[in-house]
Amino acid sequence: MNPSTALASVIVAALTDLGVRQVVLCPGSRSAPLAYALATAAHEKRVHLHVRIDERSAGFLALGLAKAVPGTPAAVITTSGTAVANLHPAVLEAAHAGVPLLVLSADRPHELRGAGASQTTDQVRLFGSALRWFAEIPAPHREPGQARAWRNVLARAVAAARGNPGADPGPVQLNVAFADPLTPDGAEADWPEPLTGSDGLTTVTAAAPPMPVRLSGSLRTVVLAGDDAGPEAAEVAAAGGWPLLAEPSSGARRDGAIGPYRLLLDRPDLGGAIERVLVYGRPTLSRPVSRLLARPGLDVVVVSARPEWTDAARNARLVVPAVVPAVTPAPGPTPSPAEDWARAWTAAGVAAAAAVDRLLDEEAAAGRLTGPLIAREVAAATGPADVLFAGSSNPIRDLDLAAGPFAPTARVLANRGLAGIDGTMSTASGVALARAAAGPRSPHAGGVVRCLVGDLTFLHDVGGLLVGPLEEPVQLQIVVVDDAGGGIFALLEHGARADRGERENADFERVFVTPQQVDLAALCAGYGVDHQVVDDVAGLRKALADPPPGISVIQVKVDRNGHRDLAERLKRVVQAS
Ligand SMILES: Cc1ncc(C[n+]2csc(CCOP(=O)(O)OP(=O)(O)O)c2C)c(N)n1
Ligand SMILES: [Mg+2]
């Protein structure tokens, strides 16, 4: 057996032994030994193998596969050269969101670097400081003791991706050099030592859970749950009797969460009276929240066990791994001022949500479908076994404003590590494939995986629709809010400038909104993806309830020119409520 083939078979066996079962492979020549080994492992059902031609989409697919099952890395494998660099966006997202992504980049033997050899560049630490760990496996030689060393590198890589011991999960790169020949020959038995086995495989486990910190209930406190906050945020809010402001992808937006909290934060008696905020996860969605977190004198307690905790305003007094509310005395006949205030938040939240619903319904009745209405309907269609993947830009913000509570077992995910508009459908596809792999007895069997994206987000990752005929089909329903461009910019300061003349308006359209006129139906047809346009609420509900097999697209056209006016009116009706 040649050394490259031996190395590849040790890598694939070690991956599966270490629990890495989801592998995305991109085609190429230098990575050929891994391709052969993976094809064999897939036949023997040792790995779930997914093959994708575009490394950028493949990276996000692996990200989604890893996100779907917390604590379980997924691997992505590429050939050498620009192929590796195409993984960079997914690696950065994984770094900031703390997702265990294992990159195996095939390389030429190191002596070919800098010598003009084809597809050969410096791949060493290509992703810079984004990596949790990096190692090189040099071109293999036929000598005893190597298999053990290779296995050990794999064990360290998987542990580092998982964040064990005591560190943060995230991306890891193994740069693996393969020397010719790259095609299998000979038998395993003629290698000087066994190619499978546990020799050299070290098991690494997480550090002990950190001790919680006790907080008293006398301050007017809210719990702010950003992306990936987890259910603890909701549990602590309930235990402390504190208002819960939970972003859609927090995992804490449950019964009792204040839906349109964003529109209540500027009220002096509600947002203005907050004395303490417990921050869970990564809140990124709105200016009122950033303003709150930057307020001088506010007691900001960040609850995070991650080294990159969220405190963009540099205003946190305390960063703790967990909190428990102090035991509250049994409620007496007269509630404390803080309890009264928490009740006022709840009542305001209920009234505001009703006001938002009414306005969106009136708009829909007048034939105007809007982003928040579509978001509300998509959220309402998200059942206890379903996954909703929220695209960046307006879709996740519209969910934040208009979605009701989610069932505790439903999962709402988003790429908020860096909030890119790239790779969204690929990440959602990874989640869908990992769900399917969990099998019919998983609690999520039969659930629908959906994503809600803007039109530019859709077009950015349209390559993610490419699933070859030999690949496992992806079950994903994609809802595209099509406002023919980047609608969010109309809502940011760029869209607000009243002093604009005709030329500035045209420039704004061209350099911020970037309008598009792509025929999505034709595009989908080209990819063999089911597509329909819906233009009323009944049609949308019907389409959401009945996803066809495979990837399908629901396109809902909305008028971008209405965004500002709707945002203003939503603010007004909430204030009035
Ligand atoms: C990879 C990447 N490029 C650029 C941006 C900046 N950006 C944020 S929102 C946005 C427009 C998104 O348009 P669309 O998906 O149609 O959503 P809409 O704003 O219309 O809701 C852009 C370009 C980004 N977040 N990520
Ligand atoms: Mg758009």
Side-chain angles (χ1 to χ4, degrees):
M1 179 176 271
N2 64 59
S4 289
T5 299
L7 169 57
S9 63
V10 168
I11 289 175
V12 172
L15 285 178
T16 58
D17 287 347
L18 291 160
V20 180
R21 295 291 158 90
Q22 296 284 2
V23 181
V24 184
L25 172 74
C26 304
S29 180
R30 195 47 47 176
S31 49
L34 286 168
Y36 286 115
L38 281 166
T40 304
H43 277 303
E44 295 168 358
K45 305 234 175 309
R46 288 185 280 130
V47 295
H48 290 280
L49 178 63
H50 312 280
V51 184
R52 293 295 186 276
I53 61 158
D54 177 340
E55 289 82 6
R56 190 171 69 169
S57 307
F60 280 105
L61 188 76
L63 180 86
L65 286 160
K67 258 173 111 82
V69 191
T72 312
V76 57
I77 297 178
T78 72
T79 191
S80 62
T82 54
V84 193
N86 274 291
L87 299 174
H88 211 147
V91 166
L92 292 183
E93 173 61 29
H96 290 275
V99 179
L101 180 69
L102 188 60
V103 172
L104 291 172
S105 47
D107 202 350
R108 305 260 168 148
H110 75 276
E111 60 271 19
L112 292 179
R113 282 180 209 152
S118 178
Q119 281 186 44
T120 307
T121 184
D122 184 0
Q123 298 178 184
V124 174
R125 296 180 200 275
L126 185 66
F127 308 113
S129 58
L131 292 178
R132 299 290 189 267
W133 200 72
F134 170 88
E136 284 201 85
I137 299 184
H141 300 284
R142 189 184 172 88
E143 61 189 51
Q146 289 224 329
R148 177 192 168 84
W150 296 332
R151 270 195 288 275
N152 196 251
V153 174
L154 266 293
R156 282 175 186 271
V158 171
R162 283 205 174 104
N164 297 340
D168 201 23
V172 161
Q173 183 193 2
L174 271 184
N175 196 56
V176 189
F178 290 106
D180 295 347
L182 302 171
T183 41
D185 58 3
E188 240 181 87
D190 71 17
W191 192 256
E193 62 189 324
L195 294 178
T196 51
S198 57
D199 185 26
L201 276 187
T202 313
T203 303
V204 185
T205 62
M211 289 293 290
V213 168
R214 190 166 289 272
L215 284 185
S216 87
S218 59
L219 289 182
R220 288 184 168 123
T221 302
V222 295
V223 174
L224 177 65
D227 178 65
D228 201 23
E232 308 83 74
E235 287 151 17
V236 165
W242 296 319
L244 171 62
L245 322 180
E247 290 188 357
S249 61
S250 61
R253 194 170 172 116
R254 298 181 172 184
D255 272 339
I258 316 268
Y261 64 92
R262 183 208 305 174
L263 299 181
L264 300 171
L265 283 173
D266 288 335
R267 273 189 71 108
D269 54 339
L270 298 171
I274 296 172
E275 294 169 314
R276 180 171 62 200
V277 181
L278 304 188
V279 183
Y280 285 79
R282 191 180 175 89
T284 54
L285 296 185
S286 72
R287 301 271 164 97
V289 166
S290 328
R291 277 198 295 274
L292 168 70
L293 292 175
R295 191 189 294 165
L298 183 76
D299 189 30
V300 178
V301 178
V302 175
V303 189
S304 173
R306 291 195 52 200
E308 190 183 301
W309 66 83
T310 298
D311 179 26
R314 294 167 164 79
N315 197 21
R317 176 179 64 86
L318 192 64
V319 179
V320 293
V323 298
V324 283
V327 183
T328 37
T334 45
S336 73
E339 283 170 313
D340 263 346
W341 177 79
R343 278 181 208 165
W345 255 104
T346 307
V350 171
V356 168
D357 278 342
R358 257 196 317 274
L359 180 59
L360 297 181
D361 287 337
E362 282 164 22
E363 288 290 292
R368 286 185 292 270
L369 290 189
T370 58
L373 176 96
I374 298 162
R376 184 189 78 184
E377 294 300 322
V378 168
T382 306
D386 295 351
V387 180
L388 171 57
F389 199 95
S392 296
S393 201
N394 281 332
I396 192 163
R397 293 180 171 81
D398 288 344
L399 284 166
D400 192 45
L401 180 73
F406 292 98
T409 51
R411 286 190 78 196
V412 185
L413 301 171
N415 280 342
R416 298 309 294 175
L418 288 178
I421 59 163
D422 48 349
T424 309
M425 283 119 60
S426 296
T427 315
S429 298
V431 174
L433 285 168
R435 281 287 171 126
R441 257 172 290 153
S442 105
H444 298 287
V448 177
V449 181
R450 272 191 203 93
C451 65
L452 176 68
V453 294
D455 50 299
L456 295 187
T457 302
F458 178 81
L459 291 169
H460 205 292
D461 190 30
V462 73
L465 297 181
L466 176 49
V467 182
L470 305 181
E471 293 307 298
E472 190 180 321
V474 174
Q475 299 296 330
L476 176 68
Q477 188 176 46
I478 303 167
V479 182
V480 183
V481 183
D482 182 5
D483 59 3
I488 197 168
F489 295 109
L491 295 167
L492 300 177
E493 56 275 32
H494 319 291
R497 291 179 45 196
D499 56 337
R500 276 201 318 232
E502 213 168 287
R503 185 176 131 178
E504 285 89 349
N505 271 331
D507 286 348
F508 168 70
E509 282 281 307
R510 181 173 179 214
V511 303
F512 288 103
V513 173
T514 57
Q516 58 80 22
Q517 300 176 332
V518 176
D519 180 345
L520 297 194
L523 191 61
C524 290
Y527 279 97
V529 161
D530 189 281
H531 168 273
Q532 62 175 308
V533 176
V534 301
D535 50 18
D536 59 17
V537 184
L540 176 60
R541 287 183 183 164
K542 190 161 167 291
L544 287 169
D546 192 18
I551 300 182
S552 58
V553 171
I554 303 172
Q555 180 184 4
V556 197
K557 294 186 182 163
V558 307
D559 178 11
R560 180 165 18 93
N561 294 320
H563 290 352
R564 277 202 89 76
D565 178 55
L566 180 69
E568 288 304 323
R569 284 160 63 210
L570 282 165
K571 251 188 231 169
R572 279 205 300 275
V573 295
V574 164
Q575 287 302 323
S577 77

